[in-house]
Amino acid sequence: MSPADAASPALFLGLISGTSADGIDAALVRFDQHASALRCELLLGRTYRWDEATRGALIALGQGGDAPSLDDVGRLDAVTGIHFADAALRLLDEAGVSARDVRAIGSHGQTIRHRPHADPPFTWQIGDGNVIAERSGIDTVADFRRRDVAAGGHGAPLMPAFHAALLGSADEERAVLNLGGIGNFTLLPRSGDGIAVRGFDTGPANALMDAWCERHTGAAFDAGGAFAAGGQADEALLARLLEEPWFALPPPKSTGREQFHLAWLEARLGDPAISPADVQATLLELTAATVADALRANQPGTRRVLVCGGGVHNARLMARLAAWMPETSVESTAAHGLDPDFVEAMGFAWLARETLAGRPGNLPAVTGASGPRVLGTVFPA
């Protein structure tokens, strides 16, 4: 630990709005500056919902739509930054903590494009860090993904190093499964085995299910998986969905709403007689099947899958994951002391800490980058 680490405040604040754009997750985290291994405590976590106009604009861009003008993108970048800053200040107010006591904010922003296979590749998260720093009065680290992409990586996933530090085991192979809009794995070999930690996206998780549910029920998500449980997976449709070439790609791999969206689904629906509930059940089965296939292909000896993200609350999805992986324990990260709703926000607080300490935040074996890189841009308050 450097002298700067020891002297700096131990409080960091993480912010993220994921692929589903259902809200801004905010986490106030205390790091133990003197522990030899990473130790952190979630002091308070909250999710602050987007207003419908902003959420609609973010989703439209995120699933591949074009903005009416550059002015609209610029305004949305600033508005998103305002929302992120306000989320940070609301969290601190609820926690009774002064902004002066927070060393930095780590803000993921909102992804509106992720094109790691473009020529040249790029990824784009909006939510202007200048705005966040100015409105919050807290040093802000943002734009974490683009340096990794510039170094030849996918810029995703970025949580595996954080997962490994907090959830790895010397006794068994584990995997951390984040079920956000897109699913992603961190594969954790037994500590000391000398095998690199790996991670990659598995495909759609909540994004497609949420979009389909909202279209047919008006609800923003399928609470508990009840809509899906009222239908039956259509095997022919599932087979067509699984024919998507992206699923067969080897890691490193990443994706987003711009690839897996309702137009992608509609192009494969085929039989118009399939009921909306049956389609929902099929989408849930797609998530479970692709997760299980990815685990078998990449770490077949996994004994425990620790689940975080919004999908952990979908009881039907958790049950189907357990059915697809019968020899593996499937459980929430809550069983290991990490609130599943705020693991990623905590992770971006940690990434801000790493950036300010001058330490790399990526794992090249995960993202495919040419080497370790210090991630993010620092926006002083």
Side-chain angles (χ1 to χ4, degrees):
M1 181 189 307
S2 70
D5 281 342
S8 62
L11 297 185
F12 285 75
L13 197 154
L15 300 168
I16 180 171
S17 176
T19 310
S20 294
D22 50 0
I24 298 170
D25 293 334
L28 181 63
V29 181
R30 175 187 288 125
F31 291 99
D32 186 337
Q33 304 289 73
H34 304 287
S36 56
L38 177 65
R39 293 177 59 188
C40 63
E41 176 188 3
L42 177 66
L43 300 182
L44 185 65
R46 292 286 188 268
T47 298
Y48 300 108
R49 301 297 173 186
W50 293 104
D51 64 87
E52 285 305 311
T54 304
R55 181 174 186 264
L58 292 171
I59 288 176
L61 277 181
Q63 64 186 11
D66 290 324
S69 71
L70 285 176
D71 282 352
D72 290 302
V73 178
R75 180 181 179 279
L76 189 61
D77 184 29
V79 166
T80 302
I82 291 169
H83 279 285
F84 272 85
D86 289 351
L89 292 174
R90 286 179 64 185
L91 186 75
L92 292 178
D93 183 61
E94 289 188 55
V97 171
S98 168
R100 294 189 301 273
D101 295 327
V102 178
R103 175 64 186 90
I105 292 171
S107 176
H108 170 269
Q110 178 71 56
T111 299
I112 60 170
R113 283 292 190 281
H114 184 65
R115 304 290 197 205
H117 298 294
D119 184 18
F122 68 94
T123 188
W124 191 1
Q125 288 74 41
I126 62 172
D128 188 353
N130 295 285
V131 172
I132 299 172
E134 188 67 31
R135 290 179 70 94
S136 68
I138 302 170
D139 291 349
T140 297
V141 187
D143 197 18
F144 286 98
R145 298 192 185 275
R146 291 202 290 179
R147 181 60 190 274
D148 185 88
V149 172
H154 279 241
L158 293 182
M159 291 294 101
F162 181 66
H163 293 159
L166 292 178
L167 295 169
S169 169
D171 301 321
E172 62 185 6
E173 292 183 335
R174 293 179 173 180
V176 180
L177 174 62
N178 177 54
L179 291 174
I182 297 296
N184 54 70
F185 260 136
T186 296
L187 303 184
L188 302 174
R190 282 185 301 235
S191 305
D193 277 1
I195 301 172
V197 172
R198 292 171 292 158
F200 50 88
D201 287 354
T202 60
N206 298 321
L208 274 178
M209 289 191 287
D210 289 352
W212 186 258
C213 181
E214 188 164 12
R215 171 181 288 184
H216 290 279
T217 72
F221 62 96
D222 184 8
F227 184 30
Q232 193 165 34
D234 184 282
E235 294 300 326
L237 174 57
L238 179 62
R240 289 195 296 275
L241 298 178
L242 288 169
E243 288 173 354
E244 165 60 48
W246 186 89
F247 293 125
L249 293 175
K253 59 192 293 188
S254 59
T255 189
R257 189 189 284 273
E258 72 280 356
Q259 178 166 0
F260 292 107
H261 46 69
L262 285 182
W264 177 86
L265 170 63
E266 289 161 351
R268 292 157 178 80
L269 274 179
D271 185 358
I274 301 175
S275 74
D278 287 350
V279 173
Q280 186 77 0
T282 308
L283 292 175
L284 186 147
E285 204 72 3
L286 174 69
T287 296
T290 50
V291 164
D293 287 348
L295 191 62
R296 278 193 293 269
N298 291 282
Q299 190 171 274
T302 301
R303 287 293 166 261
R304 196 174 306 276
V305 173
L306 308 177
V307 186
C308 58
V312 76
H313 302 294
N314 186 324
R316 178 66 177 171
L317 177 56
M318 292 291 283
R320 293 307 299 152
L321 286 167
W324 275 90
M325 299 181 286
E327 297 181 359
T328 304
S329 174
V330 178
E331 58 195 44
S332 168
T333 58
H336 299 263
L338 284 180
D339 188 322
D341 291 324
F342 299 104
V343 171
E344 278 205 292
M346 292 174 70
F348 279 94
W350 172 78
L351 279 171
R353 179 175 179 256
E354 297 304 285
T355 299
L356 294 182
R359 293 188 290 259
N362 66 335
L363 292 179
V366 170
T367 66
S370 58
R373 297 291 186 270
V374 177
L375 304 179
T377 301
V378 180
F379 301 88

